[in-house]
Amino acid sequence: MPADSAPMNLTHHFLIAMPGLEDASFARSVVYLCEHSERGALGLIINKPSDINLKGLFDKVDLSLRRDDLTEEPVYQGGPVQTERGFVLHERMATDSEDADESAYASTMTIPGGLEMTTSKDVLEALSTGAGPRRVLVTLGYASWGEGQLESELAENSWLTVGADASVIFDTPVAERYDRALGLLGLQSWMLSPEAGHA
């Protein structure tokens, strides 16, 4: 297969919604792509807080939260799929295992770039004891695209893409994440026209 026909892989990238993208779930969203292959893509919206915080979520699942740094952190609306299910995006945990590809938690996707996405309750149980990953972002739901779907949305200028920066996910105030992600491309939101088109 010639190199120029290699499939696009935007794993560990941000998708930044263009102004013309008016779908309520995705308007002005920044999506962190956990996985992208020829079969499709899976990501988490990182800048749409829900009306529940982590303390509230832990109360719902009958766990205490012994991490004062996290109690007021919002739970995010990660996307329109499986909105009753929790997804935890977090820094990679060092494990005692010799196998560097093994995560500390069950049901974990290791993402190139030093992050992991875990869907099992054991990461919440670790946080409830005061342990667990230092930096986390918890969502309910996720975003997904079928085979070729994201590529066609990119061709329609629905999204901008840029390599992900964990500081946008974990260290940037929610209201500034869209602009910070655009800043990674050297852009500001006023520069984007809501009219999609090709130059």
Side-chain angles (χ1 to χ4, degrees):
M1 178 185 279
D4 58 13
S5 64
M8 181 187 296
N9 184 345
L10 294 174
T11 301
H12 190 61
H13 278 64
F14 290 138
L15 296 179
I16 306 165
M18 287 290 281
L21 186 61
E22 291 171 358
D23 178 300
S25 296
F26 293 110
R28 275 191 65 87
S29 68
V30 179
V31 179
Y32 174 74
L33 280 183
C34 302
E35 183 175 48
H36 182 215
S37 70
E38 63 277 0
R39 295 186 308 276
L42 179 151
L44 301 173
I45 299 172
I46 63 161
N47 67 330
K48 298 221 178 224
S50 69
D51 53 9
I52 183 173
N53 63 20
L54 282 180
K55 174 147 185 7
L57 177 69
F58 274 68
D59 288 346
K60 279 187 183 219
V61 294
D62 296 323
L63 288 172
S64 57
L65 179 54
R66 295 193 183 91
R67 286 277 300 271
D68 292 342
D69 57 321
L70 296 178
T71 53
E72 296 304 317
E73 280 294 306
V75 174
Y76 292 83
Q77 300 169 34
V81 184
Q82 291 192 359
T83 53
E84 71 297 332
R85 189 160 175 212
F87 298 83
V88 183
L89 185 63
H90 58 89
E91 290 179 311
R92 183 126 194 223
M93 294 284 291
T95 62
D96 297 333
S97 166
E98 293 294 315
D99 181 1
D101 291 331
E102 192 172 302
S103 171
Y105 306 107
S107 305
T108 293
M109 174 189 297
T110 299
I111 305 160
L115 299 183
E116 295 183 337
M117 193 268 287
T118 301
T119 57
S120 65
K121 194 174 175 185
D122 59 349
V123 69
L124 298 182
E125 288 164 350
L127 293 169
S128 79
T129 67
R134 188 174 69 81
R135 301 199 295 177
V136 298
L137 180 134
V138 179
T139 74
L140 291 174
Y142 67 95
S144 71
W145 291 263
E147 184 177 342
Q149 187 181 358
L150 179 57
E151 289 77 359
S152 64
E153 288 183 19
L154 290 166
E156 292 162 5
N157 288 331
S158 296
W159 302 98
L160 293 169
T161 63
V162 67
D165 178 343
S167 71
V168 175
I169 300 169
F170 300 116
D171 303 327
T172 303
V174 177
E176 297 171 23
R177 289 180 188 172
Y178 185 82
D179 291 327
R180 275 287 310 281
L182 281 176
L184 297 173
L185 289 166
L187 297 174
Q188 295 176 4
S189 49
W190 62 266
M191 299 172 170
L192 304 180
S193 164
E195 307 304 318
H198 297 277

